[in-house]
Each structure stands twice: as structure tokens, then as C-alpha cells.
Amino acid sequence: MMDAGTNAESAIECLLFVAGEPVPLEDIAKVLEMGEAETESILRSLQVKLTERGSGLQLLHIAGGWQLATRSEYAVFVGKMLARSASKLSRAALETLSIVAYRQPVTAPEIEAIRGVSAAGVMKTLLERGLITEAGKKNAPGRPNLYTTTQDFLHYFGMNSLADLPPIEQLPNPEPVTEASVTDGVTDMVKQSV
Amino acid sequence: MHFMKSSRASASAGVRSALLPPDMPQVVLAAFEGPLDLLLQLIRANRVEITDIPIVEITNQYLAALAQMETLNLAIAGEYLVMAATLIEIKSRMLLPLPPSVTEEEGYDPRAELIERLQEYDRYLETSVLLREWEEIRRDIYFRAAEECTDSYPLQVLHNQASPMLLFRALQRLLTEAGLDDKPVTTIIPKRRVSLRMKMAEIIRRLHTAGKQGIQFETLFDLPCPRHDIVIAFLAILELLNLGRLTASQDEPGDAILLYEETMG
């Protein structure tokens, strides 16, 4: 597939540069006409190389795909040029998202039962920001809507998949994110943002 | 809401009420996400375990916190009062001697259900703290913005992936782009300007004039125009498509949509 003067790693760099969203491994492999395992090892080595050469960019495994991102140390410069993204989420929103993330698909009344307060306003905000989505109706009285988290949810928190969240049983004794406790997306993010 | 009126006179914002129990921990009022949150903060402030709540003290402190919220003129949601009632009920159950039948049951604890709820809520609370951390880190990382379509309808819907939510958002976007939400506060709403039938006739006329060249979808909307007109024009196009009076084509996703009159026979 590669002609003289081109190499797979640089080709991947090009693909990731033009993509405006995380690119799934299989898509990259398909374009390069290479195996997924081989493609992934090139991605990993590109990731290391970017760090080693002190690039302003980093390669993240996020929301189920691969995506180039700026390094957090340079946030101050990028922030000056771009308008800040949407406001931070409220505590109520974060609590609700935690519940949806672990209990999905889940209904608003179920969330209300756990939090002990009304969920209507928060749910609307989360739907509008695309962090949760409707996923059918529960076969229960009133047929309430079921909600799940979205790819944007993973992306917003720098996760690769829901598996990045700590297992719920371990929660009573939570420690701040450590490299050992999570995988990929967040690990990438935390490691590379140090 | 007139809950524990008596404390109103004795406490003002920022000042500890003389009526509060002397052992009342300092908790930041008005920063609660609900009764469970308030309860958890009291438990933490007292340095006790969720599984071993000193129900009498906690109930007193909880009620005192509500009283304080009231003196600060904070609206106390009904959920807080439900929890107050629950606490009082548990408290009285623990003070009363148990009927013999219950005493025989090993490990009976009137607090059990509350403890379970608190533990569950607490778990999600911990996750939400973690999510807050991740949000912080993630906000310092920027990504290349997704490619902007030059099309007026920058909706990237792949086949079989359209959902009511996506369509709704596309319509919202179109309406927002039209700047129609910036209407002055006082506005005169004229009577219905154009009927669906009239709009359909107008579109057919315009398509007929355009002939084989066709007309671009968006030119049928004379923006800026009232929201009503956008909706009518859109309905008219759908209706004509349904009647087989016009055809729509698009070469590539993201390209302009072209409309042609369907020449019959």
C-alpha cells in the first residue's frame, strides 16, 4: 500500500489531522489496508514519539477512537485564541450523569429515587448538551423514557469507554485517578497532562 | 413555608442561632443537592459512619439546619420535609420498646433502609467527584473542531442513523441561525400570513419557471422570515414530495439539495 517516500505512521498522522472526531481503529486500518493489531502498534508508537519530541499535540485514545489533541500545558495559549467551551457542569448534573453511567438504561424516576430530588431540569440540560440520550421506553407504568450516556459523554470526560469508570463496588473507598486504576482514554489524558 | 418559625427571630444570615444545638457542626447551608446530601454532610461533619448514625443527634441537627435555611429565606423543597419526617419516624422507632415479635428478629434496625439509601447515593457522589476531576483535566485539552459543512444544513446524518433528537436539533439550528429568537420583547403578531395551499402553489410556480435547472432547497426559504413561514414552506415541500409533484436530489451528502418539478406524463 505504501509507496516509496510514504510511511504508515505519517499516513496515520494525516488521517488524524484532518479528522474532526475520534477515528475508530478499524477505520484507520481499512484506509491503510493493514491489520488492526499492526495499526494499533503504529498508533502507540506515534503516541510515544509525540511525547518524546515535546510536541504540542498528543494522541489520545478517546470515546472509542483515536484523536489528536493539544497538550494541556498549552491550554493557556489555545484558550486565548478560541472561545472557551460551554460552562462546567453543575454538581446536580455530575451526580445525575454518574447514576446514568452506571445504571443505564435508567429512567428519571429511578434517578430521582437515588438522589432524593427532582431530576427534570437536570435531565433537560444533559439532553441539550448531548451527554445523555433517550433510548426507548421502560415497560413499566407510565412507560417512562429510558436514558443512556452518549459518545459525547465519554469524550467530554476524556474516557475511552465506560470501562474507564471504577467498578462500583470499589467506590466506597475511592482514591483519585491513578494510572493503575483506569485504562486507555483517561490514563492517556492524565499521564500526558502531567 | 413556615417551618420552625420560632427560630426566625433569633438567627440571621451568617450568625449561628442560639437555638441550634451547641454541637451543631458548621455546614455550608444552601449548598446542598437535596436531603440526602445534607444528611451525608452532617454525618461527615460528625465523623461518624453511615452504618452507625447517632439518629437522635443527626435528626436534631438536620431539623436545625432546615430551621437555619428558613431564617436565611431559602426555599425549602418538599423533599427536605419528607426526609425530616422519615428521620423523626426512625428516631421514635428507636426510642420505643420493640414489640416482642420484632425483638426476636436478629439485627432489626429501623435505620436500615435509610442507611442503604445513603450508601447508594454516596457511591454516585464519589463518582461525580471523579467526573469533576476528569472534566477539569479535559477542559485544558483542545481538539480540532469538526469540519463545518458549507451547506446551510450542517447535519451529518448517516443512513439509518437519524434519530428524532438529531432532526429536532437540526431544526433548532436552522431556526436559531435565522436569528428568530432575538425578537424584541414586545412584538406584534400578525395574522397568519400564508396558508399551506398558497405556499404549495407558489413553490410549484417557482419550480415550473426554473424548469430543468431546478431550485436550491434553501432559496425557497426567504430568510430572514418569521418562524411560521419557515415551517409552512418546509411543510409545503414535504407535502409536494408526498404528492409526487416534485423531486429532490442531492449528489453527495452535504451538497446542496436541488428540487425539480415532476413533469407528469
Side-chain angles (χ1 to χ4, degrees):
Chain A
M1 169 70 183
M2 290 299 148
D3 300 326
T6 64
N7 66 73
E9 190 181 274
S10 301
I12 289 178
E13 227 174 346
C14 294
L15 297 181
L16 295 172
F17 172 74
V18 296
E21 55 193 6
V23 191
L25 176 66
E26 58 261 41
D27 290 6
I28 303 172
K30 208 180 280 175
V31 171
L32 297 180
E33 294 178 16
M34 277 170 28
E36 288 186 14
E38 197 185 346
T39 309
E40 188 171 352
S41 77
I42 298 173
L43 280 162
R44 297 273 177 206
S45 99
L46 177 59
Q47 195 174 35
V48 173
K49 273 189 196 168
L50 285 171
T51 313
E52 281 175 353
R53 83 160 97 110
S55 168
L57 297 177
Q58 57 181 334
L59 179 52
L60 296 181
H61 194 191
I62 188 171
W66 291 85
Q67 191 171 17
L68 283 175
T70 64
R71 219 173 273 280
S72 55
E73 295 91 312
Y74 298 97
V76 58
F77 303 110
V78 188
K80 264 191 215 168
M81 201 178 88
L82 301 175
R84 243 300 178 203
S85 48
S87 56
K88 281 191 215 168
L89 293 170
S90 66
R91 254 194 71 188
L94 291 171
E95 286 180 29
T96 307
L97 276 176
S98 307
I99 297 170
V100 179
Y102 281 105
R103 308 269 301 231
Q104 57 188 316
V106 68
T107 67
E110 285 161 2
I111 295 165
E112 286 169 349
I114 294 171
R115 291 193 61 232
V117 285
S118 159
V122 187
M123 299 298 279
K124 190 166 166 275
T125 311
L126 294 176
L127 281 166
E128 277 169 5
R129 291 186 67 160
L131 297 171
I132 60 172
T133 185
E134 286 169 17
K137 291 182 180 293
K138 183 164 181 153
N139 211 351
R143 303 203 20 93
N145 281 328
L146 286 164
Y147 297 95
T148 57
T149 55
T150 60
Q151 288 296 106
D152 283 356
F153 163 79
L154 296 177
H155 203 270
Y156 184 84
F157 292 102
M159 283 183 261
N160 181 43
S161 74
L162 289 170
D164 286 344
L165 287 169
I168 196 99
E169 297 80 13
Q170 287 181 14
L171 283 175
N173 268 323
E175 287 297 314
V177 202
T178 58
E179 286 173 10
S181 68
V182 288
T183 59
D184 275 342
V186 175
T187 319
D188 286 356
M189 195 175 74
V190 173
K191 228 190 284 176
Q192 302 193 22
S193 69
V194 172
Chain B
M1 176 88 35
H2 292 287
F3 190 78
M4 294 206 161
K5 246 185 181 168
S6 55
S7 61
R8 173 159 293 192
S10 60
S12 60
V15 180
R16 277 174 72 95
S17 163
L19 290 187
L20 293 182
D23 57 339
M24 174 78 181
Q26 202 77 52
V27 287
V28 187
L29 288 175
F32 304 120
E33 285 299 331
L36 289 169
D37 189 30
L38 168 55
L39 212 48
L40 270 181
Q41 291 201 27
L42 286 172
I43 290 168
R44 298 273 140 81
N46 281 286
R47 295 170 194 284
V48 290
E49 291 295 317
I50 294 177
T51 45
D52 193 25
I53 309 169
I55 200 77
V56 177
E57 290 82 44
I58 293 290
T59 304
N60 288 344
Q61 290 173 10
Y62 182 89
L63 294 176
L66 287 204
Q68 209 178 11
M69 279 159 91
E70 227 224 336
T71 59
L72 298 177
N73 282 327
L74 301 170
I76 298 173
E79 296 100 9
Y80 285 94
L81 300 183
V82 174
M83 179 58 77
T86 309
L87 286 171
I88 292 167
E89 194 205 336
I90 296 174
K91 182 173 134 187
S92 47
R93 274 184 197 280
M94 293 192 73
L95 294 176
L96 289 171
L98 293 170
S101 59
V102 181
T103 356
E104 279 160 29
E105 284 176 38
E106 277 288 313
Y108 171 79
D109 188 345
R111 300 173 299 181
E113 200 188 319
L114 181 65
I115 289 171
E116 214 168 278
R117 282 189 67 192
L118 281 168
Q119 280 177 324
E120 179 164 33
Y121 176 67
D122 194 32
R123 266 182 230 136
Y124 296 114
L125 209 56
E126 303 289 2
T127 316
S128 74
V129 172
L130 184 65
L131 288 181
R132 174 68 85 204
E133 261 174 56
W134 288 354
E135 182 189 42
E136 284 293 334
I137 299 173
R138 166 64 183 75
R139 282 172 73 83
D140 277 344
I141 296 171
Y142 292 84
F143 296 86
R144 197 184 164 83
E147 200 77 18
E148 288 283 337
C149 266
T150 44
D151 190 77
S152 337
Y153 303 90
L155 178 66
Q156 293 167 334
V157 184
L158 301 175
H159 282 297
N160 308 323
Q161 285 189 5
S163 69
M165 196 48 136
L166 270 176
L167 290 175
F168 170 71
R169 274 202 232 159
L171 179 64
Q172 286 285 36
R173 201 173 325 179
L174 177 60
L175 292 173
T176 320
E177 270 173 22
L180 298 177
D181 286 336
D182 301 334
K183 254 195 284 207
V185 179
T186 20
T187 179
I188 298 161
I189 302 170
K191 258 192 129 178
R192 202 165 54 137
R193 294 161 199 83
V194 65
S195 72
L196 182 59
R197 189 178 297 272
M198 280 159 65
K199 193 73 196 177
M200 284 165 66
E202 183 206 318
I203 290 173
I204 282 293
R205 211 163 44 238
R206 284 171 70 172
L207 287 174
H208 189 72
T209 317
K212 277 187 181 153
Q213 276 189 314
I215 286 186
Q216 277 203 16
F217 175 71
E218 44 269 68
T219 57
L220 289 174
F221 301 87
D222 308 310
L223 292 174
C225 66
R227 190 178 281 251
H228 172 266
D229 291 11
I230 296 181
V231 175
I232 286 292
F234 189 59
L235 279 177
I237 294 169
L238 291 181
E239 190 62 26
L240 287 169
L241 275 169
N242 190 32
L243 292 171
R245 295 289 302 277
L246 61 84
T247 50
S249 77
Q250 185 183 35
D251 291 342
E252 295 269 331
D255 272 7
I257 300 170
L258 284 171
L259 302 172
Y260 306 92
E261 183 186 18
E262 185 71 43
T263 42
M264 297 196 193

